Amino acid sequence: MSRRLQMLAQMVTPGNKVADIGCDHGFLSIYLVQEGISPAVIAMDVRKGPLSAAREHIDAQGLGAYIETRLSDGLKKLKLGEVDTVVCAGMGGRLMERILKESWEKAVQLRELILQPQSELKEFREFLRKSGFRITGEDMVREDGKYYFAMRAVPGSRELASELGMMKVFPMDGMRDHAVCVRVCNKFGEELLSKKHPLLEEYLQKQQRVLEQLVESLTAQDTERAATRLQEVQEELGDIRLALELF
């Protein structure tokens, strides 16, 4: 199984019943049961083809009594209170946000969400924070030259979700702009920053080099469009430099 899927499995609380949303070929569902992490899994996908393949893999491992396959768009076919954990990975942050919003009553009753958005991380973390979910754990891996970010979120108050994680990274000493601190945490993850995750430092350094080269290129261009883009890139670069100061 891929390193990114193993990372997700390790974030699941042992003993929890799990719904694997967008299960694809069922490898994560199978791993959760085989490793004794979860006693029962519902493998769900909106596509019939991958779900059929998942069923074949599950049956081949003799795990049909522990893993159910279910055709579903997101959480729509999941019953309220049926599982403790939802794992959602392999899709963009906007799509993941839509899936949660469309089944909000079910989402807020879960003990935990294990999430791996492939894009729009800043916007997705912001959505979780404003919706009252608190990020209690984060991890990341590099696989085939790509970085994958994962997070564990639990329902909580909006106040806790907005402030508690950020305070672990940036103590409220009045020395930094509050909005900038929130933006940096949303971009790069307060748990990753507070733990000084070595892979995050590597990721930030690579992004810094790319943006510094872009600044040189834009500075040489005498157009209004380039000037606007330069301002955006300089803000991004400032956020990365602030994050790197923590390491």
Side-chain angles (χ1 to χ4, degrees), residues 14-136:
N16 279 7
K17 295 180 180 179
V18 177
D20 180 8
I21 309 300
C23 68
D24 198 32
H25 289 66
F27 298 132
L28 175 61
S29 299
I30 290 168
Y31 184 88
L32 288 169
V33 172
Q34 285 183 333
E35 295 299 311
I37 298 170
S38 176
V41 178
I42 304 173
M44 309 174 77
D45 205 290
V46 70
R47 300 164 296 168
K48 292 182 179 180
L51 198 65
S52 177
R55 183 75 262 167
E56 291 179 8
H57 292 143
I58 292 163
D59 290 343
Q61 297 296 322
L63 298 175
Y66 305 96
I67 305 174
E68 175 190 346
T69 56
R70 192 178 296 177
L71 189 67
S72 176
D73 180 4
L75 311 181
K76 290 181 180 178
K77 295 299 176 66
L78 186 69
K79 298 173 185 175
L80 189 65
E82 195 171 13
V83 298
D84 308 297
T85 301
V86 157
V87 178
C88 194
M91 61 191 77
R94 291 297 189 195
L95 175 56
M96 205 171 286
E97 179 180 334
R98 177 185 69 78
I99 286 172
L100 294 176
K101 283 181 174 178
E102 289 179 348
S103 301
W104 194 246
E105 184 183 5
K106 300 170 189 175
V108 296
Q109 293 298 318
L110 294 164
R111 292 186 180 179
E112 63 185 8
L113 293 165
I114 309 299
L115 306 159
Q116 190 182 84
Q118 302 283 70
S119 60
E120 297 105 13
L121 271 78
K122 172 183 172 292
E123 293 78 10
F124 187 68
R125 287 193 183 101
E126 187 176 37
F127 156 71
L128 288 176
R129 196 187 305 278
K130 289 182 176 180
S131 300
F133 277 90
R134 186 161 59 93
I135 297 172
T136 61

Side-chain angles (χ1 to χ4, degrees), residues 232-245:
E232 295 171 350
V233 172
Q234 287 174 332
E235 180 182 285
E236 293 174 33
L237 196 53
D239 289 346
I240 286 174
R241 286 169 176 162
L242 177 57
L244 281 170
E245 289 178 9

Side-chain angles (χ1 to χ4, degrees), residues 140-158:
M140 63 183 294
V141 296
R142 185 183 64 246
E143 190 168 58
D144 298 328
K146 185 174 180 180
Y147 295 91
Y148 294 93
F149 297 80
M151 58 195 76
R152 178 182 184 268
V154 300
S157 73
R158 282 184 173 83

